[in-house]
Amino acid sequence: MPLQPEHLLDYLANESETKYKSDLIDLLMNRIDKLCFEECQIDRIQCTLTPLCARRFLLKLRIKNGLKLEDLPKFCYSVHKGVIERDFRNKTVVYRPYDTYLYLLDFLDIFFHGDYRKLNQFISFEKWKDALKIFDDRIQNRNENFKYILMNNYMIFKYDDRIHVININEKYVLCNANRENIVSLELLLGLIILYAQIYFPEVSMKLIPSKYVSVSTMVPHDVLLKIKDKLPEENISKIDQYFWNVFAEDLDALTQYCEEIHLQMDDNENLEIMLNISVESNNYIEHNKRLPLRFRDLRLIFNFITRIYNDYYIIWVD
């Protein structure tokens, strides 16, 4: 049997001789550098159309680990930036640049070109009042279609269905977040607040440190009274159709991504639905290792909350 990837992982995890592990890592590093700087970007057509690392994931490896622009294959990075910009401008691209990373300055250059140097300075020195003034002016006076929220360590932007996250401390940006992991409760809370402001502003939420973010919505008592005791055989109302046929399935699907789900009646006989969401899903990669929660996993949660809020809460409360 030939050498397998898991053999290398086991060796690095269990080998006691530091020198041998170091030599193996050096071999891997040399191979990566040779692929990036000699084999791939030297052929500019190949680097542009069919890079030798899928979706340029080796750029992500370098950027997330604090390497500077001079440590990157420069032509490859320029193509990478161009793909993100073309996608933002709704132009044809070779591949959709989901889960891609840019340096902060280049992100600002693409998305806020006229103000990008000032914004880079304001964000770098945490002059938030000046930075937010520019963002608000673009929304209010230049009709730019985006929403944002500032947290302690992150700044999150939403353009239509695309999410971009500035890591303030590391000065890089995750663009078009999709399959990437949600790495902290602070980031998770920021995403929930941002979506709540747009889609379900009266939903309550609370951060339970080191555990989860708790999100609560409700179905008013007046709505519950309209649900039949059993599903009618004909002329089924929208309320009966949902709560008899779909509601339980929605909750079952949510158990994949929520730490806990609680249903209870409050003092006014409203049905309170509480979703406790952590940065780990309830899907397992191994027997006792849970998969991290990903950006795209939140779609199911947000769709459920939006449905309850718009169809069975707000129209009845108003």
Side-chain angles (χ1 to χ4, degrees), residues 105-142:
L105 180 64
D106 294 310
F107 170 78
L108 297 172
D109 184 23
I110 292 172
F111 289 82
F112 307 100
H113 178 70
D115 300 304
Y116 79 101
R117 294 190 184 279
K118 288 187 292 185
L119 282 171
N120 183 59
Q121 183 180 30
F122 293 153
I123 294 174
S124 297
F125 291 97
E126 299 189 7
K127 296 182 177 180
W128 297 117
K129 182 178 180 181
D130 295 322
L132 300 189
K133 182 178 180 180
I134 292 176
F135 293 131
D136 290 340
D137 177 69
R138 282 177 168 261
I139 293 171
Q140 296 166 10
N141 300 320
R142 300 188 230 177

Side-chain angles (χ1 to χ4, degrees), residues 155-202:
M155 194 166 193
I156 308 169
F157 294 86
K158 185 178 186 300
Y159 284 82
D160 297 324
D161 61 343
R162 303 291 182 87
I163 291 291
H164 314 287
V165 181
I166 295 177
N167 186 311
I168 295 171
N169 297 321
E170 302 298 334
K171 303 296 188 293
Y172 63 66
V173 186
L174 167 60
C175 300
N176 302 318
N178 183 34
R179 297 175 63 91
E180 286 287 273
N181 301 336
I182 298 173
V183 296
S184 71
L185 285 175
E186 180 194 351
L187 178 55
L188 175 61
L189 177 63
L191 290 164
I192 295 173
I193 293 173
L194 180 59
Y195 273 80
Q197 290 173 348
I198 303 169
Y199 300 112
F200 35 86
E202 295 176 60

Side-chain angles (χ1 to χ4, degrees), residues 25 32-33 37 55 64 82 86 88 127 131 135-136 160 166 169-170 176 187 204-206 246 259 289 294 297 309 311:
I25 292 172
I32 291 173
D33 284 345
F37 292 100
R55 295 179 176 267
K64 288 190 68 176
R86 287 183 63 85
F88 175 61
K127 296 182 177 180
F135 293 131
D136 290 340
D160 297 324
I166 295 177
N169 297 321
E170 302 298 334
N176 302 318
L187 178 55
S204 63
M205 63 203 71
K206 181 179 181 181
V246 181
E259 187 78 18
K289 185 176 181 181
R294 297 175 293 181
D297 296 336
Y309 180 78
D311 292 350

Side-chain angles (χ1 to χ4, degrees), residues 242-254:
Y242 179 70
F243 283 98
W244 277 103
N245 291 336
V246 181
F247 182 63
E249 294 179 0
D250 282 351
L251 292 178
D252 184 60
L254 288 174

Side-chain angles (χ1 to χ4, degrees), residues 42-282:
I42 198 170
D43 183 340
R44 295 198 167 195
I45 295 177
Q46 174 180 265
C47 186
T48 301
L49 300 178
T50 56
L52 294 179
C53 65
R55 295 179 176 267
R56 307 182 196 276
F57 76 89
L58 291 176
L59 288 178
K60 168 184 169 180
L61 172 66
R62 297 174 188 275
I63 293 171
K64 288 190 68 176
N65 283 281
L67 276 69
K68 304 303 181 185
L69 181 61
E70 56 267 23
D71 301 312
L72 270 60
K74 292 183 177 58
F75 178 75
C76 181
Y77 182 74
S78 69
V79 174
H80 175 71
K81 178 183 174 182
V83 170
I84 296 172
E85 182 168 14
R86 287 183 63 85
D87 182 65
F88 175 61
R89 309 284 179 203
N90 294 315
K91 296 181 179 180
T92 303
V93 290
V94 177
Y95 59 87
R96 293 293 181 188
Y98 293 109
D99 301 317
T100 50
Y101 285 78
L102 283 174
Y103 293 114
L104 174 60
L105 180 64
D106 294 310
F107 170 78
L108 297 172
D109 184 23
I110 292 172
F111 289 82
F112 307 100
H113 178 70
D115 300 304
Y116 79 101
R117 294 190 184 279
K118 288 187 292 185
L119 282 171
N120 183 59
Q121 183 180 30
F122 293 153
I123 294 174
S124 297
F125 291 97
E126 299 189 7
K127 296 182 177 180
W128 297 117
K129 182 178 180 181
D130 295 322
L132 300 189
K133 182 178 180 180
I134 292 176
F135 293 131
D136 290 340
D137 177 69
R138 282 177 168 261
I139 293 171
Q140 296 166 10
N141 300 320
R142 300 188 230 177
N143 297 316
E144 295 191 16
N145 185 27
F146 70 92
K147 304 291 184 181
Y148 73 88
I149 185 169
L150 174 64
M151 306 296 287
N152 289 332
N153 296 295
Y154 304 97
M155 194 166 193
I156 308 169
F157 294 86
K158 185 178 186 300
Y159 284 82
D160 297 324
D161 61 343
R162 303 291 182 87
I163 291 291
H164 314 287
V165 181
I166 295 177
N167 186 311
I168 295 171
N169 297 321
E170 302 298 334
K171 303 296 188 293
Y172 63 66
V173 186
L174 167 60
C175 300
N176 302 318
N178 183 34
R179 297 175 63 91
E180 286 287 273
N181 301 336
I182 298 173
V183 296
S184 71
L185 285 175
E186 180 194 351
L187 178 55
L188 175 61
L189 177 63
L191 290 164
I192 295 173
I193 293 173
L194 180 59
Y195 273 80
Q197 290 173 348
I198 303 169
Y199 300 112
F200 35 86
E202 295 176 60
V203 168
S204 63
M205 63 203 71
K206 181 179 181 181
L207 174 64
I208 310 300
S210 303
K211 292 185 177 180
Y212 47 74
V213 178
S214 183
V215 182
S216 295
T217 186
M218 71 169 57
V219 181
H221 179 61
D222 289 349
V223 175
L224 299 177
L225 290 176
K226 293 180 178 295
I227 303 173
K228 300 292 193 296
D229 292 335
K230 63 179 181 178
L231 184 64
E233 294 182 0
E234 56 184 24
N235 299 323
I236 303 174
S237 69
K238 178 181 177 181
I239 291 176
D240 284 325
Q241 170 65 25
Y242 179 70
F243 283 98
W244 277 103
N245 291 336
V246 181
F247 182 63
E249 294 179 0
D250 282 351
L251 292 178
D252 184 60
L254 288 174
T255 59
Q256 298 179 72
Y257 306 117
C258 295
E259 187 78 18
E260 299 171 340
I261 299 176
H262 297 285
L263 304 180
Q264 62 185 28
M265 305 298 292
D266 67 14
D267 294 339
N268 296 315
E269 298 186 326
N270 303 310
L271 175 63
E272 184 179 16
I273 306 169
M274 181 182 296
L275 308 177
N276 295 337
I277 311 164
S278 77
V279 294
E280 292 183 323
S281 74
N282 282 323

Side-chain angles (χ1 to χ4, degrees), residues 2-19:
L3 196 63
Q4 299 294 316
E6 57 266 25
H7 297 156
L8 300 181
L9 295 174
D10 289 343
Y11 185 84
L12 289 171
N14 299 314
E15 173 58 43
S16 60
E17 180 55 63
T18 304
K19 180 182 185 303

